[in-house]
Amino acid sequence: MTTVIGAGDRSDARRNRARVLSAAGEAFAERGFDVPLGDIARRAGVGAGTVYRHFPTKHALVEAVFSQQLGELVASGERRMARSAPTDAFFGFLTDIIGTARSRATVCDIMSADASWPRPVLTATVARLHQLLAVLLQAAQQAGGVRPEIGPDDVVALTVGCAAMTAARHDHAAGLRLVRLTLDGLRPSAPGVTEGRSFRDTRGPYPAPACEQCGAALTLRPTGRPPRYCGAACRQRAHRRRPAS
């Protein structure tokens, strides 16, 4: 006899899968890759068989969790693109990526620790994320909101650095302020530090240091303490003139 799967059964399966993914994301964030699948099943309120039916291996579960997290980012970026001006959508998407990076850190580390995993689902999601980022960047540049020489790889590297910067800060608000200052560097501006020009002191040269005893010019060394005397004779003379303690 053929078993017919009804719409109710399919909706139950989708709900169970979503519950497992949510529970797994929390468990991996708290305990890393070593958390047993049985613990994840109990957290999700389903049987272990339900977990194995959807995800036959823990590797498949980790990949699905990370893919879902990135997929949620893609969805947020698409919403921003549909509702906001190009420049606002681009910078809003970057702040979404950076602001949620901490919640993905453990799963990302698990995936990065072993590059041999077959990960077709995750690969496809990452490709969608990069494609959306490129589209948002191009639209913002055409609107005049982002410097024209910036490329997608530059943006990816910058967001990774900003995520690491916020993770290192205990003060979340201060971290976000630094992120905004950093992202402002992507906006068109007058030539500055990114133009490769050398830095010069427009106030003119500093006066050369002089020996404290004889006034002779001193040569500054690249390391160590700044010199105070031109030689041993002046150093000894200075020591003799010190008052006895």
Side-chain angles (χ1 to χ4, degrees):
M1 183 177 69
T2 302
T3 301
V4 178
I5 300 177
D9 295 330
R10 288 194 294 270
S11 62
D12 286 344
R14 286 193 296 269
R15 281 194 296 270
N16 286 338
R17 188 179 190 277
R19 291 164 67 180
V20 170
L21 286 175
S22 177
E26 295 172 357
F28 288 138
E30 294 173 4
R31 301 169 58 184
F33 187 62
D34 293 333
V35 58
L37 289 180
D39 290 358
I40 294 174
R42 284 189 291 274
R43 184 188 289 249
V46 300
T50 299
V51 177
Y52 284 105
R53 187 159 54 249
H54 289 285
F55 309 102
T57 67
K58 191 184 292 186
H59 289 168
L61 179 55
V62 172
E63 180 182 358
V65 168
F66 199 24
S67 180
Q68 182 191 52
Q69 292 173 344
L70 296 184
E72 291 171 352
L73 276 178
V74 171
S76 77
E78 290 172 342
R79 288 192 298 270
R80 286 186 177 278
M81 185 168 57
R83 300 173 183 174
S84 304
T87 301
D88 291 340
F90 172 72
F91 283 106
F93 186 49
L94 295 191
T95 55
D96 286 343
I97 294 175
I98 297 166
T100 59
R102 185 172 297 183
S103 64
R104 298 188 303 276
T106 302
V107 179
C108 182
D109 290 344
I110 294 172
M111 295 294 296
S112 301
D114 184 357
S116 65
W117 290 11
R119 53 185 81 186
V121 175
L122 180 60
T123 300
T125 307
V126 171
R128 287 174 56 208
L129 182 68
H130 286 183
Q131 181 180 17
L132 176 61
L133 180 62
V135 171
L136 288 169
L137 171 61
Q138 183 179 26
Q141 288 173 324
Q142 291 175 347
V146 175
R147 300 164 67 122
E149 72 272 19
I150 300 297
D153 290 343
D154 299 324
V155 178
V156 170
L158 190 65
T159 54
V160 170
C162 285
M165 182 169 58
T166 56
R169 302 278 300 192
H170 296 296
D171 187 338
H172 184 64
L176 290 180
R177 177 177 173 274
L178 290 177
V179 167
R180 293 185 181 280
L181 289 172
T182 303
L183 294 184
D184 278 345
L186 297 176
R187 299 180 186 273
S189 60
V193 297
T194 59
E195 299 301 320
R197 301 186 304 173
S198 60
F199 296 99
R200 296 181 179 179
D201 187 349
T202 57
R203 297 172 299 176
Y206 291 103
C211 175
E212 294 180 5
Q213 287 297 312
C214 68
L218 300 177
T219 301
L220 293 177
R221 297 186 296 268
T223 59
R225 294 181 179 179
R228 298 174 58 188
Y229 310 107
C230 61
C234 283
R235 185 180 302 108
Q236 291 174 359
R237 190 177 303 117
H239 284 297
R240 285 197 298 268
R241 291 180 177 177
R242 288 178 182 176
S245 57

